[in-house]
Amino acid sequence: MGIYHSALKSGVMTYKDVKETSRANHSKGIILKNDIISQGLPIEFDECDFLWAEPPWPHGFKVFNERANADHKSYQNLVDAISEIIESSDKPIYMPLCKSLLRGLPNADQVEETSLNSGEALLAIWNDEYVGPYKTTNEICQTLGSIYSCIGDFTCGYGNCVVDFIEGGGKKFVASDFDGKCVTVMAARMKKIH
């Protein structure tokens, strides 16, 4: 699994003492600091073949806000922002998420059970049909790398899905997170990927 930006307290590495980065370029793509709640999806995502996101569960929302020094009043702000992205895009969208978030979003075309960071999750899919594998999000991202050329991950954290996508054969990426420290960590991590 590698490193993973999580609100969970056990078994996860979190980088707190790094400086924020607003944009980092890589030979295969870019990483941006961007808040989908207040800024929407950046224009750079237009070049992506499909969108991916691993949004926080409701109980982790406050933790991520504190780390990013963001002032979002309610989880509903995130639900509304993601709904807007889904409703305004005809790109395939893949999202491992919890049941409560799924209930607040536009109806998915497909929902499957999967594992995210060793925990149970649902994989919701819009504008596409996916035949598997479904076991873990790592496998899913690697498989998508054999299908698509460019991923757009708008809640990238430390970039696990992008790394898996590239390992699976994907060529390019656009990634963003509202925490500039995540951009810094992902940029350093991507230097090992050519």
Side-chain angles (χ1 to χ4, degrees):
M1 174 177 54
I3 60 172
Y4 191 80
H5 190 230
S6 174
L8 301 174
K9 293 185 179 174
S10 61
V12 179
M13 183 177 292
T14 302
Y15 293 90
K16 296 177 183 171
D17 297 325
V18 296
K19 293 184 178 179
E20 290 197 9
T21 302
S22 58
R23 180 184 178 110
N25 294 312
H26 182 272
S27 62
K28 295 185 183 290
I30 57 171
I31 313 160
L32 308 166
K33 179 181 177 183
N34 180 76
D35 186 342
I36 60 167
I37 293 173
S38 60
Q39 299 171 294
L41 202 60
I43 194 168
E44 287 87 349
F45 281 80
D46 288 355
E47 71 180 86
C48 301
D49 299 322
F50 75 104
L51 302 177
W52 176 275
E54 296 173 13
W57 268 227
H59 62 272
F61 186 64
K62 182 178 178 185
V63 173
F64 289 119
N65 280 327
E66 287 171 356
R67 287 184 193 159
N69 294 319
D71 187 26
H72 301 303
K73 304 292 187 231
S74 125
Y75 191 72
Q76 188 61 43
N77 297 140
L78 179 65
V79 175
D80 293 345
I82 293 173
S83 293
E84 173 65 27
I85 291 169
I86 292 168
E87 290 170 347
S88 65
S89 180
D90 58 0
K91 293 180 188 293
I93 301 171
Y94 288 74
M95 210 175 298
L97 42 63
C98 60
K99 289 179 185 177
S100 60
L101 177 54
L102 181 63
R103 284 193 295 269
L105 297 177
N107 289 336
D109 296 312
Q110 185 178 349
V111 178
E112 306 290 344
E113 293 181 358
T114 190
S115 174
L116 170 65
N117 196 25
S118 302
E120 293 180 4
L122 297 172
L123 174 68
I125 302 167
W126 292 265
N127 306 323
D128 207 6
E129 185 176 333
Y130 178 74
V131 295
Y134 302 104
K135 187 175 179 184
T136 68
T137 56
N138 303 88
E139 287 180 333
I140 294 165
C141 288
Q142 288 174 358
T143 302
L144 293 172
S146 70
I147 298 170
Y148 294 107
S149 178
C150 184
I151 183 175
D153 184 347
F154 58 86
T155 58
C156 67
Y158 297 153
N160 274 19
C161 182
V162 170
V163 170
D164 290 332
F165 177 77
I166 299 293
E167 286 176 359
K171 306 294 183 221
K172 295 171 49 183
F173 69 88
V174 177
S176 70
D177 199 284
F178 79 141
D179 187 340
K181 293 181 290 296
C182 288
V183 175
T184 303
V185 173
M186 183 177 172
R189 186 177 188 192
M190 294 306 291
K191 286 180 182 176
K192 299 174 185 171
I193 296 175
H194 305 287

